[in-house]
Amino acid sequence: MTQASNLPDDAFHVFDTTLRDGAQREGINLTVADKLAIARHLDEFGVGFIEGGWPGANPRDTEFFARAAEELDLRHARLVAFGATRRAGGSAADDPQLAALVNSGAPVITLVAKAHDRHVELALRTTLDENLEMVRDSVAHLRAQGRRVFIDCEHFFDGYRANRDYALAVVRTAHQAGAEVVVLCDTNGGMLPSGVRDTVADVLAATGARLGIHAQDDTGCAVANTLAAVEAGATHVQCTANGYGERVGNANLFPVVGALELKCDRRVLPPGSLAEMTRISHAIAEVVNLAPSTHQPYVGFSAFAHKAGLHASAIKVDPDLYQHIDPETVGNTMRMLVSDMAGRASVELKGKELGYDLSTDRDLAGRVVARVKEQENLGYTYESADASFELLLRDEVRGRRERYFALESWRTISEQGPGGSAGNEATVKLWAKGERMLATGEGNGPVDALDKALRTALERIYPQLAKLELVDYKVRILEGQHGTGSKTRVLIETSDGTATWSTVGVADNVVAASWLGLEDAYTYGLLRAGLEPDATQGRGPISGPPR
């Protein structure tokens, strides 16, 4: 492992523990390759410290540090190994866990220590004095081995409230033994910002130690608690990417750093790193195989999305009127959502986003608004289906509907076979470029079969369709309006390998709704490929079947 040569200012630490604490989230199971990939992303983002895991505690973390020594070339971050103070009744020099930490090769070691008197007596089953000696001996030993040492005071805030004097004694002992930073941990996540601020200020005044903060999010206050600690004098923040962590998670790295840089005027990342925040957040989400949170502050897909017509009218004048920062500062973008709440300003801004200037044609913008409201009254939703909205907009701009193919009919058959096996078959009859086409497809459901039949029919004429892949499919049964009757809304997400788009269909049953969504998805895909619509289909009136 090549250690960082372009290190951030050591006066303030951004410490990431995604690879250790974040990996404790339910549903996350990182391989060594995953951990190496995430470490590279975090280093690229510019964090100062990356806690890689607990070498010696499990084979995977031991392997991670061994491979990191050969495979990681860190430019900004220092790698950190995590472990515990020595065992009660032993000595640091003979402790195998501490030896594993030294052997990991990590230049920085974080030790977890008990700071709550009841945990010392009930969990460690030792005396308060012996716990202090465990802290002193462990820190001094690792310092003698040439390692930087941070101490995580587990359950510190609960311990402080139960026995302030003892909690402070743990901090003093670690500090005096040579710990560079003493981290106050809200392990149960029960603190509120005012309590964190007061406690940190008191500990700082009473001990003189350099303090850090590690906040869990059980009250939904982890980010606020972290910022409150910094306000009170902490100069070391422990976070995880996207807030991953045990139970409900940890302080989220991205809003913490965003607030420090943009709200508190603290330079805690290398120049230019903040603009990579959204990309890095999503890249790490891909590695852990969790969908990025669309509503996450700063980096979420919806973080700068505007739906209300009142907002859109103001944003048309000045985007800052309804945005706390310029989205591009953190690598994100503003989005206008079109819905039944939309006014003319929303449609004009969305049209501009898609490359259409509607500001000079009030009648056109009015028609688009009216059509959106009419369609959404039928159950459509365009805020989640940008591609369908763009097709609707193109219809109105041109005053006609342009098609690449025209449907004659479709049919699906589902049948039960021997032994409970099920079969699904679809037949489509289409017209495209003057040809009548009939094709069948089999799939694991009627919609899958319909998709395959449509591809079979069209790929000879439109080979570009071979690149399209259905990547997500959602069905919602809308509220019934007549007795037990109801409508079905289908949202389809499609990719051509370089971009994704969403389309919507609404009908009385799921297959019919799916057909409308698929028709829009294929039409938009061919439009993206730069193909001209099929002139042989004519250009019919807009008042055809609703999109």
Side-chain angles (χ1 to χ4, degrees):
M1 174 183 62
T2 303
Q3 276 300 314
S5 58
N6 182 24
L7 297 176
D9 186 356
D10 203 51
F12 193 95
H13 294 170
V14 176
F15 181 110
D16 183 273
T17 181
T18 303
L19 302 184
R20 187 202 49 95
D21 217 5
Q24 295 181 46
R25 169 173 166 154
E26 185 176 4
I28 290 181
N29 185 23
L30 301 179
T31 66
V32 174
D34 291 338
K35 297 183 70 162
L36 291 168
I38 293 171
R40 293 186 184 99
H41 287 308
L42 292 169
D43 181 60
E44 185 180 2
F45 185 50
V47 302
F49 299 87
I50 299 171
E51 191 169 63
W54 191 330
N58 62 72
R60 179 168 47 193
D61 283 0
T62 302
E63 181 186 348
F64 167 77
F65 282 94
R67 289 182 59 180
E70 300 294 331
E71 300 178 31
L72 285 185
D73 182 13
L74 300 178
R75 297 188 304 117
H76 299 118
R78 305 165 180 91
L79 196 62
V80 182
F82 177 87
T85 56
R86 69 158 171 82
R87 294 188 177 93
S91 70
D94 298 327
D95 191 276
Q97 289 189 84
L98 296 181
L101 294 175
V102 173
N103 293 336
S104 72
V108 185
I109 293 172
T110 297
L111 293 178
V112 62
K114 298 292 186 184
H116 191 317
D117 55 358
R118 293 186 68 244
H119 279 265
V120 173
E121 295 170 339
L122 299 179
L124 290 182
R125 299 179 182 274
T126 192
T127 66
L128 301 185
D129 286 342
E130 171 63 5
N131 181 58
L132 294 178
E133 186 56 36
M134 291 160 59
V135 172
R136 181 182 295 108
D137 189 21
S138 300
V139 173
H141 172 70
L142 292 175
R143 290 285 292 160
Q145 299 297 314
R147 300 302 193 269
R148 299 176 67 178
V149 181
F150 303 155
I151 285 285
D152 280 359
C153 288
E154 189 181 35
H155 295 284
F156 180 83
F157 292 92
D158 296 328
Y160 175 90
R161 288 188 292 190
N163 187 338
R164 174 180 177 273
D165 289 343
Y166 187 74
L168 291 177
V170 175
V171 175
R172 288 193 189 98
T173 299
H175 175 54
Q176 292 167 3
E180 183 177 324
V181 180
V182 180
V183 182
L184 310 185
C185 301
D186 184 20
T187 308
N188 289 342
M191 293 297 292
L192 298 179
S194 59
V196 170
R197 185 183 300 109
D198 292 345
T199 302
V200 171
D202 180 49
V203 175
L204 187 62
T207 67
R210 180 176 183 178
L211 300 181
I213 180 69
H214 177 113
Q216 299 292 131
D217 201 33
D218 296 75
T219 61
C221 292
V223 170
N225 286 343
T226 300
L227 298 174
V230 172
E231 183 180 326
T235 57
H236 171 112
V237 293
Q238 294 194 357
C239 308
T240 62
N242 301 321
Y244 300 143
E246 195 170 20
R247 302 187 308 277
V248 299
N250 290 40
N252 190 333
L253 172 67
F254 302 114
V256 166
V257 168
L260 290 172
E261 288 258 350
L262 300 172
K263 310 296 183 178
C264 304
D265 198 27
R266 286 178 178 261
R267 303 284 76 81
V268 299
L269 293 176
S273 295
L274 202 63
E276 300 299 314
M277 183 187 290
T278 299
R279 180 182 64 81
I280 294 293
S281 168
H282 294 182
I284 293 174
E286 288 294 326
V287 176
V288 303
N289 199 29
L290 291 174
S293 171
T294 57
H295 291 78
Q296 185 177 169
Y298 293 95
V299 300
F301 187 59
S302 298
F304 301 96
H306 303 277
K307 180 174 180 179
L310 179 63
H311 288 210
S313 297
I315 286 172
K316 187 178 176 182
V317 176
D318 183 352
D320 290 344
L321 293 175
Y322 273 97
Q323 294 185 155
H324 68 109
I325 63 167
D326 179 352
E328 293 185 2
T329 304
V330 293
N332 210 336
T333 56
M334 183 182 77
R335 295 171 53 242
M336 296 306 303
L337 306 180
V338 177
S339 73
D340 58 359
M341 295 183 183
R344 183 174 282 104
S346 295
V347 167
E348 287 181 12
L349 287 169
K350 185 64 178 179
K352 184 178 180 181
E353 182 183 313
L354 297 172
Y356 299 90
D357 184 5
L358 307 181
S359 61
T360 59
D361 191 336
R362 292 181 59 82
D363 289 341
L364 173 59
R367 292 199 306 273
V368 174
V369 170
R371 189 159 174 219
V372 166
K373 292 181 183 292
E374 176 187 356
Q375 292 291 88
E376 295 225 348
N377 187 52
L378 296 174
Y380 281 75
T381 176
Y382 291 104
E383 65 182 84
S384 302
D386 279 1
S388 286
F389 173 73
E390 184 170 351
L391 292 177
L392 179 153
L393 179 59
R394 287 174 62 87
D395 286 351
E396 294 294 341
V397 168
R398 288 159 177 74
R400 59 185 183 263
R401 173 167 297 172
E402 297 181 312
R403 297 183 173 92
Y404 292 92
F405 55 91
L407 174 70
E408 181 178 311
S409 67
W410 59 259
R411 178 181 65 181
T412 62
I413 300 172
S414 296
E415 59 183 358
Q416 191 76 20
S421 62
N424 296 276
E425 180 181 296
T427 301
V428 296
K429 299 176 183 178
L430 303 171
W431 287 85
K433 295 189 177 181
E435 292 186 41
R436 183 176 184 269
M437 304 171 186
L438 185 152
T440 61
E442 293 182 330
N444 55 18
V447 177
D448 185 40
L450 195 62
D451 179 41
K452 289 178 178 176
L454 183 57
R455 287 176 181 273
T456 300
L458 293 176
E459 279 188 0
R460 179 176 58 83
I461 292 179
Y462 300 119
Q464 294 85 354
L465 293 177
K467 295 181 179 180
L468 303 193
E469 179 184 4
L470 190 153
V471 295
D472 199 11
Y473 175 85
K474 297 183 179 72
V475 177
R476 181 177 176 186
I477 305 301
L478 304 178
E479 183 179 356
Q481 297 178 349
H482 303 287
T484 59
S486 62
K487 285 188 176 182
T488 300
R489 179 166 66 217
V490 167
L491 290 170
I492 295 174
E493 187 173 342
T494 308
S495 173
D496 60 3
T498 58
T500 60
W501 57 90
S502 296
T503 54
V504 60
V506 175
D508 291 334
N509 67 76
V510 66
V511 183
S514 299
W515 169 263
L516 294 173
L518 286 171
E519 185 178 21
D520 271 11
Y522 277 53
T523 299
Y524 189 80
L526 293 171
L527 180 67
R528 269 186 53 82
L531 300 182
E532 288 295 321
D534 179 7
T536 67
Q537 297 307 322
R539 292 176 171 83
I542 296 173
S543 58
R547 288 199 179 280

